[in-house]
Amino acid sequence: MPKTLITGISGQDGSYLARILVERGHEVYGAMRRGSTAKTDRLQEVNVLDKIQMCTMEITEYANVQTVLSDIRPDYIYNLAAQSFVADSFHFPHYTSDVNYMGVINLLEAVRLLKLDCRIYQASTSEMYGDVLEKPQSETTPFNPMSPYAVSKLAAHSLVKNYREAYGLFATSGILFNHESELRGLEFVTRKITSWLAKVKLFNHEPLPLGNLSSVRDWGYAPEYTEMMVKMLDHERPDDFVISTNTEYTVREFLEMAAREIGFDPVFEGEGLKEKCYDKKDGKLIAYVNPKYYRASDVVYLRGDNSKALNELGWQPKVLTPEIARKMAAYDLQLLNRK
Ligand code: NAP
Ligand code: G4F
């Protein structure tokens, strides 16, 4: 039975990945950082909490990382732990770098010094393309990061490549474009939209404040993307792969699709800071632009060329953005109705 360690187990991707690996017969170890209470809601939601072994690991502490790895001696490591919210990385650049970059040094060094024979997956990101130098973006597009988050992830991405080449580690980086789901964190724009609009509909909650509505993203479905993480580590050799849908939608379009699913008939009025979204049925304001949610510098266009994953891993995305918006909106309505 292969032993697999997942860092960031309590996050969106950690939970879906744990479910896939348990189904495949792996002995799964889930690494969590210490907290006053264990964050296990998502693991419960996907029904794997009692099927995995939890351990405490602080990825920023080398000695702790080495101890955990030497106790488990995993065959596979999926490093998903990160300060993953781009907007917060402008407020916590040191912390973001400690977790997202120094944490990766700790893992790679521990694997090297313990001489572990294991395969490593690093969660790289389309944010590394930043102010994009090519459309769509592929594995050969130069990086041009625009946030402390993206800089920290690019440093980690480069280090993984370096350890692969210098020490022959089986270390693969998945350059994943945005992926969303019913388990997405509430601070990310898709889930912020679906969870908030459900409250506006059911509880007459105040309207939804948003930042840049014209930002373009290539949104895929997290359960599918975590399957791709497994495919990448099962591949014959370590490499970098873009995982994306090669489609594009604006935040405004996502808002419109989610609003329709929730039962509104959205219309937009005004431009820039004055842009507002109303329900055509009764003229009620449902969303508006608030500059508080603008970023110091924002990535305004991401769209991934997934042909390498298609050719080498034999994969095509099935769930695209309109369906994701419908699924997430329906889930949030149902969640609130249950309450
Ligand atoms: P997420 O929901 O924010 O989960 C992040 C995980 O990292 C959580 O389990 C979190 O633990 C953990 N973590 C944070 N700081 C830590 C620390 N100091 N020590 C140990 N663990 C720590 O993120 P996600 O969406 O699942 O993404 C998974 C990974 O893929 C991340 O590395 C992210 O940067 C990357 N990525 C995500 C996307 C996307 O669109 N979702 C795209 C590209 C790359 P707590 O629960 O305790 O906070
Ligand atoms: O949903 P977001 O916060 O995701 P972002 O910044 O693209 O980062 C996510 O995807 C990355 C992959 O490219 C991951 F690496 C990262 O960990 C994370 O999962 O913002 C998406 C876009 C941005 O352009 C933002 O400015 O939506 C825009 N936006 C507009 N209004 C907003 C809001 N974003 C948030 N979070 N909240 C708003 O009110």
Side-chain angles (χ1 to χ4, degrees), residues 10-13 33 80 82 84 149 153 176 178-179 184:
S10 59
Q12 170 189 255
D13 291 3
R33 60 176 160 170
L80 309 183
S84 69
Y149 168 81
K153 282 284 187 176
L176 271 55
N178 298 53
H179 45 281
R184 186 57 147 152

Side-chain angles (χ1 to χ4, degrees), residues 81-107:
Q83 191 304 88
S84 69
F85 190 38
V86 175
D88 271 359
S89 76
F90 290 98
H91 305 300
F92 317 124
H94 287 97
Y95 174 71
T96 302
S97 175
D98 280 350
V99 179
N100 298 4
Y101 176 56
M102 296 305 291
V104 177
I105 297 189
N106 290 342
L107 267 180

Side-chain angles (χ1 to χ4, degrees), residues 193-209:
I193 290 172
T194 59
S195 62
W196 197 304
L197 289 189
K199 285 192 279 182
V200 176
K201 184 73 185 173
L202 294 181
F203 301 140
N204 212 13
H205 196 74
E206 63 195 49
L208 161 68

Side-chain angles (χ1 to χ4, degrees), residues 209-220:
L210 286 169
N212 183 4
L213 296 183
S214 302
S215 195
V216 171
R217 286 293 183 274
D218 175 340
W219 283 294

